[in-house]
Amino acid sequence: MKDNVIQLNSSEKNFTDTIEDFPNRDWIEAGIKILREKSVEALTSKSISQEIKKEEKEFSRLYNGMESYMEALLDYWYEKETLKYIDMLDEMTGDAADLVLVMTEIIHNIDKSDEIAIRNMALKCPNAHAALARVDRTRLDVAIGLFKEMGFSEKESEIRSKIFYTSEIGTEYTSISSSLEQKIARTKLLMVRD
């Protein structure tokens, strides 16, 4: 599934072995907390520094302004909310259909508050919008690969993956919620051959 991974924004960064190894993680998580609890307008070097009780000059030493910080934040989120789960799927055994069902369960069970915060930020920030597009594309490409492994054509795999992904995202970010059992049943329908 790593074939479907799009590289991080920052060209000098490599994928870390674990999200815990991500540089300056405390600063990044503070920013995500501010996004989650307040808004993108509340995200400043001062508010981030206050959140982790450090001097604002340390922020300036680590980041070359808010744009640099936002790039790191979005890279962290990509690694945490996409690559971590791809790694989990890569370590699992089972056929592609089993892995799509596991993806359904993962999406159902994860904390969605960070995703909602990033998606809200993407409405106002072009860099966040681009990062979100990268995340969506990577996730969709992984799903397409799994549907192709099940024997669906390229076009069928793309269509089924889009339905799968948008229905999973849609039920999480709208008032139309579904139970895990409903999501599994919907996913199984997508795996049925016509």
Side-chain angles (χ1 to χ4, degrees), residues 1 85-93 99:
M1 278 178 255
Y85 298 112
I86 292 171
D87 287 343
M88 285 172 52
L89 290 172
D90 279 342
E91 293 173 11
M92 293 179 182
T93 57
L99 293 177

Side-chain angles (χ1 to χ4, degrees), residues 41-59:
E41 291 83 12
L43 191 64
T44 64
S45 58
K46 183 177 182 177
S47 66
I48 298 162
S49 301
Q50 288 174 339
E51 180 66 35
I52 61 172
K53 298 173 178 54
K54 293 188 179 178
E55 295 291 323
E56 194 172 352
K57 63 184 172 187
E58 190 172 341
F59 178 93

Side-chain angles (χ1 to χ4, degrees), residues 115-178:
E115 180 115 6
I116 291 169
I118 298 293
R119 287 185 181 278
N120 286 336
M121 182 175 70
L123 296 172
K124 299 175 182 173
C125 174
N127 289 350
H129 183 75
L132 182 59
R134 178 182 52 162
V135 165
D136 287 339
R137 183 78 252 160
T138 299
R139 292 173 179 175
L140 192 58
D141 286 347
V142 167
I144 289 169
L146 290 170
F147 277 99
K148 284 169 62 175
E149 280 184 45
M150 285 184 251
F152 293 103
S153 71
E154 179 79 33
K155 185 176 181 177
E156 289 174 318
S157 297
E158 187 173 319
I159 291 168
R160 289 169 192 272
S161 295
K162 284 181 180 178
I163 293 168
F164 168 74
Y165 186 61
T166 56
S167 69
E168 289 303 314
I169 294 295
T171 59
E172 295 305 331
Y173 305 105
T174 68
S175 61
I176 307 166
S177 62
S178 296

Side-chain angles (χ1 to χ4, degrees), residues 76-128:
Y76 172 82
W77 179 70
Y78 179 59
E79 197 162 312
K80 178 179 178 247
E81 298 299 330
T82 299
L83 300 183
K84 177 176 91 173
Y85 298 112
I86 292 171
D87 287 343
M88 285 172 52
L89 290 172
D90 279 342
E91 293 173 11
M92 293 179 182
T93 57
D95 62 14
D98 292 336
L99 293 177
V100 170
L101 293 175
V102 168
M103 283 176 68
T104 302
E105 190 169 347
I106 287 171
I107 293 168
H108 179 78
N109 290 328
I110 60 174
D111 178 4
K112 286 94 175 163
S113 57
D114 290 356
E115 180 115 6
I116 291 169
I118 298 293
R119 287 185 181 278
N120 286 336
M121 182 175 70
L123 296 172
K124 299 175 182 173
C125 174
N127 289 350

